[in-house]
Amino acid sequence: MVATLVHGLALATTTAGAVCIYLAAPRQQWLPRPLSARPGRIAGAVALVAGWLSWSVVLHPVTALFTSLTVSMALLTALTFAAVAHTSASARKG
């Protein structure tokens, strides 16, 4: 039960970190203006480290690191493709 909660917390903090880093990118397409670059990236990095530390509680630290990297890469890719799909869908509507 506790391991499930830790995995959920780690996934949530890793997701928050990836979203912060994406929204701080100058060419992000979700917000009218990107977040401030430095605070957004720092918040994202802190959240990613917190996710790694959370996963380190229930996994070996190296396994936790690669899990964090894999989840963050998948989320950054998904956010980019979802933004493109959202932009093209809204352009078709008029």
Side-chain angles (χ1 to χ4, degrees):
M1 180 70 177
V2 173
T4 303
L5 293 174
V6 172
H7 283 293
L9 175 68
L11 183 62
T13 54
T14 303
T15 300
V19 168
C20 283
I21 288 173
Y22 178 78
L23 292 178
R27 301 192 76 168
Q28 60 86 24
Q29 298 177 3
W30 283 104
L31 300 175
R33 295 183 333 133
L35 295 177
S36 298
R38 186 169 297 201
R41 290 177 188 153
I42 290 172
V46 168
L48 288 175
V49 169
W52 170 68
L53 289 174
S54 297
W55 260 311
S56 293
V57 171
V58 292
L59 301 172
H60 189 276
V62 175
T63 305
L65 174 66
F66 283 104
T67 302
S68 295
L69 291 174
T70 302
V71 168
S72 61
M73 286 187 299
L75 286 169
L76 289 169
T77 303
L79 284 168
T80 303
F81 281 115
V84 169
H86 180 266
T87 303
S88 65
S90 63
R92 273 188 254 135
K93 286 183 181 178

